[in-house]
Amino acid sequence: MLGAFGFRSTKWKRLSLNTNVTAIQHPPFDEISPISWYSSVREEDRGSLIGNIAPNSKDKTLASDSDREKSKLNSHSTTSTKVAESLRPRQRALLVGVTYKNCRYKLKGTTNDVKNMRNFLIDSFSFNPQNILVLTEDETEPDLIPTKKNILISLKWLVKDCRAGDSLVFYYSGHGLRQPDFDSYNDGFDETICPVDFLTEGMILDYDINSAIVRPLPKDVTLHAIVDACYCGTILDLPYVYDRQTKAWEDNYAPSGARKQTNGGLAISICRCVDDQMLADTSAFNTKAMNGVMTYNLIDINLRYPGVTYGDMLDLMHGSIEEANQNGCLTSRLLRTSCQKPIPKPVLSSSETFDVYGKNFIL
């Protein structure tokens, strides 16, 4: 099956399960000016910036002026370099894993999912660790526990001060739920994610997530949401959902006809989905560790086939899950699972349509 896509097989790289996750406290994007002041200086004024040398000066004066000239040139060069670096596209990620370890809804493997995703972003897409914010129950700082309040604040941080060329990633591993909501202007359901304190503080609705990270997304900024949770296939409320059967984008319209668009940017989500008649245990074994099936599958495919397109990645993910389901959820080439019901498959949605077999998956 894999050879049919024309991919060059590469040696499988086992996911790193480093137990030391460094959670960074809300690191802000650099505050910079979009205009290089040096390049805007008039030609006749540049002499005063770099210094003028008098033709009849003594050697000592010439040496002194030369030193000052070099110093100013170095200063200007450093400033220009800093401005150029500050204008480069940036990457930022928010990774959330909830285990619910103090209640009966406990999950296994969500913290491992976050560790693997963090390593994946750093190793495969050169994310700066300082720009990756991690929320799990293993963190010691109160602000880094995945409570409803902390997740909502972190979602706003994710898109704060972003600009053209930036790449953002929101990742969530935990419980998800949904309920009918035909009075609102979404797709007919309130899809939700469950923070660690959802029993007392409530869940985070798709509307909340859309308002926080989709609507504010400016032009030429790309957001990827990867959500490994039940009932979250369209958690971002994006207007288009890809149908693998028809090989076409379907209109994910709301009952009211209202649309939820970005502010010019591109939002893409890859989320796990189950229907309301099925609840699956989606834990997978990777050697001695537990992982979410969708997360494990997505990372594994990208490590084996760097530069895979969205369409091929989706086909490969569906194929490996079908193989596991046909084998009774006991073993497959990619994973071993403990589920008693079929494993749900990922859903691709977007704020705009694109050629899924022509666009490479790049974070």
Side-chain angles (χ1 to χ4, degrees):
M1 174 183 175
L2 303 180
F5 294 112
F7 293 131
R8 179 174 59 84
S9 180
T10 58
K11 185 177 180 181
W12 176 69
K13 177 182 178 183
R14 189 169 66 182
L15 301 182
S16 173
L17 293 176
N18 179 14
T19 58
N20 296 320
V21 174
T22 302
I24 307 300
Q25 290 272 15
H26 297 223
F29 278 152
D30 295 333
E31 295 291 337
I32 58 96
S33 170
I35 301 175
S36 173
W37 61 270
Y38 181 73
S39 63
S40 67
V41 174
R42 292 180 303 167
E43 187 69 29
E44 59 267 30
D45 293 334
R46 288 182 181 173
S48 62
L49 289 176
I50 63 176
N52 293 312
I53 301 176
N56 297 323
S57 299
K58 296 182 179 179
D59 292 344
K60 183 176 181 180
T61 303
L62 285 172
S64 177
D65 288 344
S66 177
D67 290 341
R68 284 195 295 270
E69 178 184 351
K70 291 179 181 179
S71 177
K72 289 182 179 180
L73 284 172
N74 289 336
S75 176
H76 297 152
S77 176
T78 301
T79 301
S80 298
T81 300
K82 289 181 178 179
V83 170
E85 290 178 350
S86 67
L87 290 173
R88 292 175 182 171
R90 300 162 302 178
Q91 299 164 304
R92 175 183 278 189
L94 168 62
L95 313 181
V96 181
V98 193
T99 59
Y100 315 94
K101 59 184 179 182
N102 294 323
C103 73
R104 63 192 181 103
Y105 305 103
K106 183 177 181 180
L107 288 176
K108 298 179 180 179
T110 56
T111 301
N112 289 332
D113 288 341
V114 167
K115 295 173 184 176
N116 290 339
M117 184 58 65
R118 180 177 181 273
N119 290 336
F120 176 56
L121 294 177
I122 295 170
D123 296 339
S124 297
F125 295 101
S126 301
F127 271 63
N128 186 338
Q130 298 298 317
N131 283 333
I132 300 177
L133 176 60
V134 171
L135 303 186
T136 71
E137 290 158 83
D138 289 348
E139 309 305 326
T140 57
E141 295 292 332
D143 290 342
L144 300 179
I145 302 300
T147 63
K148 181 177 181 179
K149 177 182 177 181
N150 289 343
I151 293 174
L152 290 174
I153 291 174
S154 299
L155 286 171
K156 293 180 180 179
W157 164 83
L158 182 65
V159 298
K160 185 179 184 296
D161 299 330
C162 60
R163 59 166 184 255
D166 288 346
S167 175
L168 313 177
V169 174
F170 168 56
Y171 174 79
Y172 172 84
S173 178
H175 280 308
L177 295 171
R178 74 174 182 176
Q179 59 190 13
D181 183 17
F182 297 105
D183 294 329
S184 70
Y185 60 96
N186 59 10
D187 57 0
F189 290 92
D190 272 339
E191 295 177 333
T192 73
I193 59 174
C194 302
V196 67
D197 57 352
F198 77 99
L199 290 176
T200 57
E201 300 301 320
M203 296 173 285
I204 298 176
L205 306 181
D206 48 13
Y207 175 85
D208 300 323
I209 298 175
N210 183 280
S211 298
I213 62 176
V214 175
R215 291 190 201 176
L217 203 65
K219 184 179 179 181
D220 295 328
V221 174
T222 301
L223 165 71
H224 282 86
I226 302 171
V227 179
D228 199 343
C230 291
Y231 305 111
C232 289
T234 56
I235 189 67
L236 263 64
D237 271 349
L238 301 179
Y240 300 101
V241 176
Y242 184 72
D243 187 332
R244 286 186 64 253
Q245 301 302 317
T246 62
K247 303 295 182 183
W249 289 96
E250 301 269 332
D251 190 348
N252 184 37
Y253 65 89
S256 66
R259 311 277 295 198
K260 292 187 177 180
Q261 300 284 4
T262 69
N263 193 27
L266 173 62
I268 299 173
S269 76
I270 302 170
C271 304
R272 175 159 56 91
C273 183
V274 298
D275 62 37
D276 57 2
Q277 301 298 320
M278 177 177 68
L279 180 62
D281 176 355
T282 58
S283 297
F285 297 98
N286 174 26
T287 63
K288 296 181 179 180
M290 298 289 289
N291 303 97
V293 168
M294 194 195 82
T295 301
Y296 180 91
N297 206 358
L298 182 147
I299 295 176
D300 175 75
I301 288 171
N302 277 275
L303 290 179
R304 291 187 294 116
Y305 306 107
V308 65
T309 66
Y310 287 85
D312 290 329
M313 180 178 70
L314 202 62
D315 288 341
L316 289 166
M317 292 177 73
H318 277 246
S320 63
I321 291 173
E322 287 173 0
E323 181 182 349
N325 287 336
Q326 290 172 2
N327 289 334
C329 293
L330 296 177
T331 61
S332 78
R333 180 177 47 79
L334 295 179
L335 48 87
R336 293 182 294 123
T337 69
S338 60
C339 66
Q340 302 300 316
K341 295 183 179 181
I343 305 170
K345 298 173 182 177
V347 174
L348 175 67
S349 62
S350 178
S351 60
E352 59 186 63
T353 62
F354 59 87
D355 179 4
V356 298
Y357 291 102
K359 186 178 180 67
N360 299 102
F361 178 74
I362 299 175
L363 299 177

